[in-house]
Structure formats: structure tokens, C-alpha cells
Amino acid sequence: MKHHFSIIITLMIFIFIHTTVAAQADTGKPNITILATGGTIAGSSASKTDTTDYQAGSLGIQTLIDAVPELNHIAHITGEQIANVDSNDIDNHILLTLSKKVNQLLSQNQQGVVITHGTDTLEESAFFLSLTVKQSKPTVFVGAMRPATAISADGPMNLLEAVTLAASPQAQQRGTMVVLNDRIASAFYVTKTNAVSNDTFKAIEQGYLGLFINGQPKFFYTPAAPIDQVYFDVSQLTNLPRVDIIYVHQGQDATLLNAAISAGAKGIVIDATGNGNMPKALEEAVAKALTKNIPIVITSRTGAGYVSNKKQGISSGFLNAQKSRILLQLAIATGANLTQIETYFDHQR
Ligand code: ASP
């Protein structure tokens, strides 16, 4: 009897020490919130070999978290569903909600925030957050090129790496980043370069910030901000102005530009040829629009390089059309005039 009693006491002490140590270890883990918006990472199909005809944005955040139990070894994970859409349906309201939410979470007790997102427009949302979240803690965008139901789905590993990065002390002071295919990129510069391949997010001129080796982030450089980094306070905004993009091609006239203005565009991005060129008919229409005080930003459809100063319009510098559109929306929404808008683009600080 006495023997049994001492076994029970020993067992109780063991359980007490064990749970106390476990609890201590647990409280040492950082808090990471995953905000889910949909996309292929939350996509599903009846067929394991289907990588193009699946339904994007169909699985909930808890299903994505449950699929990767290793996330719980890294951090205290909280999941929140902000939307569950194909990223082509991300709108101004979702962007503003994400930005406000991330600012709030990072001002509180969260070490970092991860945002799951469709890859098609991921670079736009990530750029938007890089311009509107001014925090030393990291925001990490992640997506996938294969749906969750596919053989060799890339989502689970991408998600694990994104959470690992958000929880890493090395991610501090690096702003908003994008993680896919073992690569870490700056949200400011990265763009989707391939319609179907896993190896799609690149910054052709600026390169990557780092990569993952055996599950751990390795950075190439100490933290630095993009030289053209600006910040906008969106805490009071409830919507963003309409800004349209016009893609330039041979034989183009003024029809689309005039239609955009009639539709109520407050600003326009012309995705021009080469170093910001276009047919004469469109050039004349641009000059006319500028006299009506409609800001027009000129980008290059080449996919890389630099748009230098233009006689007409505002040159975008290194920014592509979709990123220029976001910057122009933010500039107009916060009341910038034409001269101020010019300083936001192509202004090496
Ligand atoms: N159409 C999908 C989306 O952007 C593609 C993807 O996520 O890879 O939501």
C-alpha cells in the first residue's frame, strides 16, 4: 500500500514538472496570426493531378493550419479568415481591411503576420501593405501554385516557411516580404513572372532577399528598406479611387484612355512600350488628360528595366504597371497633387 502511494506521488511530481516545463516552453513561442484570403493555396479539386481547373479559395484557414501540425512547434498560431476568394477578386475593401488589421496586430502582442493569398494578384496586395504598414515586425505573404489537393502541393511547405520567417528574429526591420518556392522576396519589387510554374515570384533586377535551407531562413544581406520606400496612413480611409491601366500596342488610339476618364478614373497608368513610348494618337490624348489635372503614370510593358523622365506623364521608374496603379491610388486617396505624386515615383532618396 505504502509502495503504491509513493509511486502515485512520484508520478504526480513527474506530471507536474513535465507540464510546467512544457508550459514554460510553450509561452516562449512567438504569437503569429495567419490572415487567410483564399487563392490556390486554399484551392481544391476532385482530381489529384488537376493543377489548372481547380476551385481557388475553397478551403478554410483551419483546414490549412490542420494540414501542417509543424506550425504549432514554431509559434502560437491564430487563424482568421478575411476573405476566401480567387485573388482576382481582391478589392479595395479587402486591401484596406488587411492593412488596418496587420497594423493593429503588429502593434499588439503578435510577433508577425502571415497572409495567405492567391498568386495572381499577390504582388499588388503585398505592395499595398509594404506602403501602408510601418512596423519593425514582419508581414509575410504566401501562396501556392498547386491546389491543396494536388500531388506535391506546394502550399503546406510554403506556409510552414512563411510562419518560420514571420517568427524569426532575423525578419525584423525587413518590412513586407513574399515567400514561395523556398525564396524570400521584398514585396516592394517582386512580381509574378510565370503563369504556371512554382518558380514564379522574382524581382528581375533586384533579386531575392534570401532563401530557405532545411526549413530555416538565410538572408543575403542585413535589413534595408527599398530606396523609394514611402508610407501612407490609411487608418481613416474607407475606399480607394478608381485608377485604370491601359496596355499599349501598335495601332492604338485614344479610345480606351477616353473611356477610362468617362468611367470616372481619377488617375491612369499607361503600360507603354520600351522606355515609356506609345503611338502619337495616344500621346496627344495623354497631353489633353494632363491639362484636366488627371495624373498619368507611364510604365513599361517590357517587364523589367526603368522608365526615365517623360515629357508627358509621370515616369514610374522601376515600378511595373500593377504596382504603379497601387501607388497612384494611395497618392490620390491621401490628397497628393501632381507635383507630390511625381515625388512618389522615380524619386531615389
Ligand atoms: N487564380 C489563383 C488566385 O490568384 C491563382 C493562384 O493562387 O495561384 O487566386
Side-chain angles (χ1 to χ4, degrees), residues 1-134:
M1 183 64 192
K2 204 176 159 200
H3 181 66
H4 278 154
F5 185 70
S6 66
I7 288 179
I8 289 168
I9 293 290
T10 313
L11 245 165
M12 280 171 68
I13 291 170
F14 175 79
I15 290 168
F16 175 76
I17 291 172
H18 192 74
T19 48
T20 310
V21 169
Q24 273 168 2
D26 212 39
T27 47
K29 284 192 293 188
N31 298 320
I32 301 291
T33 297
I34 305 177
L35 303 176
T37 68
T40 295
I41 193 165
S44 73
S45 167
S47 157
K48 279 166 46 176
T49 54
D50 175 9
T51 55
T52 58
D53 297 326
Y54 56 89
Q55 176 72 44
S58 58
L59 305 177
I61 180 59
Q62 201 51 50
T63 309
L64 303 191
I65 293 172
D66 291 346
V68 191
E70 292 78 6
L71 294 175
N72 301 306
H73 304 163
I74 295 162
H76 289 288
I77 305 288
T78 309
E80 189 175 334
Q81 198 79 47
I82 299 291
N84 208 355
V85 294
D86 186 295
S87 73
N88 292 280
D89 295 318
I90 297 279
D91 58 21
N92 295 335
H93 296 286
I94 299 177
L95 286 184
L96 286 167
T97 303
L98 278 176
S99 174
K100 290 174 189 177
K101 189 100 214 170
V102 171
N103 269 309
Q104 181 204 332
L105 289 166
L106 294 183
S107 305
Q108 295 168 349
N109 65 346
Q110 299 297 299
Q111 161 81 13
V113 174
V114 169
I115 299 175
T116 62
H117 199 289
T119 61
D120 285 349
T121 71
L122 187 149
E123 66 185 274
E124 286 157 76
S125 298
F127 186 63
F128 185 86
L129 264 76
S130 79
L131 298 182
T132 60
V133 174
K134 195 177 182 182

Side-chain angles (χ1 to χ4, degrees), residues 96 99-100 103 132 232-240 333-334:
L96 286 167
S99 174
K100 290 174 189 177
N103 269 309
T132 60
F232 297 90
D233 178 0
V234 294
S235 56
Q236 302 308 314
L237 296 182
T238 52
N239 205 349
L240 296 167
T334 51

Side-chain angles (χ1 to χ4, degrees), residues 111 164-174:
Q111 161 81 13
T164 306
L165 180 62
S168 165
Q170 292 180 59
Q172 297 280 319
Q173 307 287 358
R174 293 184 189 269

Side-chain angles (χ1 to χ4, degrees), residues 292-338:
K292 292 185 201 149
N293 256 346
I294 298 173
I296 299 197
V297 174
I298 315 293
T299 58
S300 173
R301 68 175 202 182
T302 56
Y306 185 85
V307 176
S308 58
N309 282 340
K310 294 285 116 197
K311 282 189 274 37
Q312 271 145 22
I314 299 161
S315 66
S316 71
F318 288 115
L319 295 180
N320 67 20
Q322 53 273 33
K323 286 178 194 277
S324 296
R325 176 179 165 273
I326 297 281
L327 178 52
L328 189 51
Q329 279 187 302
L330 282 165
I332 297 168
T334 51
N337 61 27
L338 271 183

